[in-house]
Amino acid sequence: MDRRSFIAGGLSLPWLAQAGGAQAQSGPLTKIIFPFSAGAGGDTLCRLVAPHLASQLERTVIVENRTGGDGLIGIKAVKGANPDGATILVTTGPTMYLLPMVETTPSFDTAKDFVPVSQLARFEFALVVSPSIQVTDFKSFVAWLKAHPDKTSFGVPSNGTIPHFTGSKLEKDLGIPLTRVPYRGTAPIITDLIGGHIPFGITTLADAVPQHRAKGVRILAVSSAERSPFVPEVATFKESGIDLVADGWYGMWLPAGSPPDFAAKLSAAAVATLAKPEVQEKLTAIGLIPVGSTAEGLSKQLAADIALWQPIVKATGYKIEN
C-alpha cells in the first residue's frame, strides 16, 4: 500500500509558516521535530510556540521538518534520540495512534517509546457536500443517499486517516454502502465538490469553511463533541444521530527515559504558552483550537481515542504493509 499520503489530519497554510524557525536564546539547543512539511497547520503551530518555549526554558529552540514515511521518519528520529531534552516531537495525535493500528508490524509503541508532555491544539473534521446535491441538513442527506445508491462515492484526504474511518463508521451506522475515494490532501476534494465531480467528502473543517461561507460547498455535520465555533449553525455528528466524536489534535512528546523534571517543566511551559491571548488568536485564525493540557491530559486523550478507533479500524481490516 502506498504510504506517501498518510496524514491523520492537518491544515495546509503555507503563507503562515515562518522561515527558518531558529529562536535566539541562551542555553542549550533543543529541536522540535515536526514530521510533516513546512507550511502545514502543525508546522505553523510549532513555529508559533517555539519562541515562547525558548524564553521559558532558557534555551535555543528551533523547528525542524523531518518528513517522510507518513510521519514515521520524524517519529523514529525522536524515538531514537538521546533523552536529554534536546529533541521534542510535535505531531498529530491520530498519527501516534493510527499508525500502530494499521501497520502490519508496528514501528513504535506510543506508551513505551515516548513521554507525554501536552496536548497543544485540536482541529475538527466535517462532512461536506457538493452544491449540486439538493439537501439542507444531515437528515435530508441520508434520504438523498438512499434514493441515489449509485452516487455514494465520497472523498477523503488519503487512506488510513480519520476521515477514512469516519466514512467506515457512517457506512455501518447508516446501513448504506459507500465508496471511498482517496485524494492527496484536502484542497482537491473541495475543488471536486465545487465542480460537482463528487457528491460529498469528509475533510478538515478549516479547509471547508471558506467555501461553505461562500456557498461553494455545504457543511452538513462536524466531528466535534459540541458545535464548532467556526460554524456554529452546523450540527455535530452526534446531534445528527451518529455516535461519533472525531477531532484531530496536535500533541507534544519526549523520548522515553527523558528526565521527569524537564518533562514537567516543558509541560508547564506549553500550558502557559497556549494560554496566552496572542497565541490563541493566531491559532484560531487558522482553524486550530488551543488546548494546552497536562501530560496526564494528553495520555487520557490518547487512551480515549485508541478505545474509540481500535474497533472501527479493526472492523475495516485495513492494513499498511511495512
Side-chain angles (χ1 to χ4, degrees):
M1 177 63 64
D2 182 2
R3 302 162 57 99
R4 291 174 299 176
S5 57
F6 183 100
I7 301 176
L11 311 169
S12 181
L13 297 157
W15 63 91
L16 284 168
Q18 302 171 15
Q23 312 301 329
Q25 297 285 338
S26 60
L29 173 67
T30 291
K31 292 182 179 180
I32 295 177
I33 302 294
F34 181 64
F36 301 109
S37 62
D43 176 73
T44 303
L45 168 66
C46 291
R47 295 176 192 279
L48 180 60
V49 304
H52 297 278
L53 296 180
S55 176
Q56 295 177 70
L57 298 174
E58 299 182 329
R59 56 173 63 209
T60 298
V61 179
I62 65 171
V63 178
E64 180 177 318
N65 300 91
R66 194 76 68 88
T67 63
D70 311 322
L72 273 175
I73 300 299
I75 291 172
K76 286 183 175 180
V78 178
K79 174 185 173 182
N82 290 328
D84 55 5
T87 311
I88 299 170
L89 173 67
V90 172
T91 188
T92 63
T95 302
M96 294 295 276
Y97 61 78
L98 283 181
L99 273 173
M101 288 184 196
V102 301
E103 285 188 306
T104 53
T105 304
S107 300
F108 62 92
D109 184 316
T110 305
K112 294 180 180 179
D113 295 328
F114 298 94
V115 173
V117 176
S118 178
Q119 185 185 19
L120 303 179
R122 64 181 180 86
F123 55 92
E124 303 148 311
F125 298 100
L127 187 146
V128 189
V129 300
S130 169
S132 62
I133 300 177
Q134 301 303 308
V135 296
T136 57
D137 55 20
F138 189 81
K139 183 178 180 180
S140 60
F141 169 68
V142 173
W144 184 90
L145 286 175
K146 292 179 178 178
H148 299 83
D150 59 332
K151 297 181 180 180
T152 58
S153 297
F154 69 100
V156 297
S158 69
N159 282 320
T161 60
I162 293 295
H164 169 160
F165 296 118
T166 297
S168 299
K169 172 72 170 171
L170 286 174
E171 183 175 44
K172 179 181 178 181
D173 287 8
L174 297 177
I176 302 172
L178 304 176
T179 302
R180 184 179 69 257
V181 180
Y183 284 72
R184 292 191 175 187
T186 57
I189 296 176
I190 301 299
T191 298
D192 276 3
L193 287 171
I194 294 171
H197 304 301
I198 191 168
F200 74 105
I202 301 170
T203 187
T204 307
L205 175 64
D207 289 321
V209 166
Q211 284 299 328
H212 171 77
R213 291 174 177 165
K215 301 189 185 305
V217 299
R218 187 178 295 114
I219 298 172
L220 295 186
V222 295
S223 66
S224 45
E226 299 177 351
R227 292 198 179 198
S228 169
F230 303 110
V231 282
E233 73 279 9
V234 177
T236 65
F237 278 118
K238 292 206 72 159
E239 287 179 294
S240 303
I242 302 298
D243 187 17
L244 178 67
V245 175
D247 285 359
W249 48 273
Y250 291 100
M252 178 180 286
W253 289 265
L254 288 166
S258 295
D261 57 341
F262 178 76
K265 187 175 182 179
L266 178 59
S267 179
V271 170
T273 296
L274 272 299
K276 294 184 176 183
E278 65 270 26
V279 173
Q280 294 185 346
E281 181 179 355
K282 290 178 180 178
L283 289 178
T284 54
I286 62 172
L288 293 179
I289 301 171
V291 179
S293 78
T294 62
E296 291 75 17
L298 173 59
S299 295
K300 287 181 179 179
Q301 181 65 63
L302 188 71
D305 283 351
I306 290 173
L308 169 66
W309 289 107
Q310 203 159 44
I312 296 174
V313 173
K314 185 176 181 180
T316 68
Y318 180 80
K319 285 291 182 181
I320 293 176
E321 298 292 336
N322 65 318

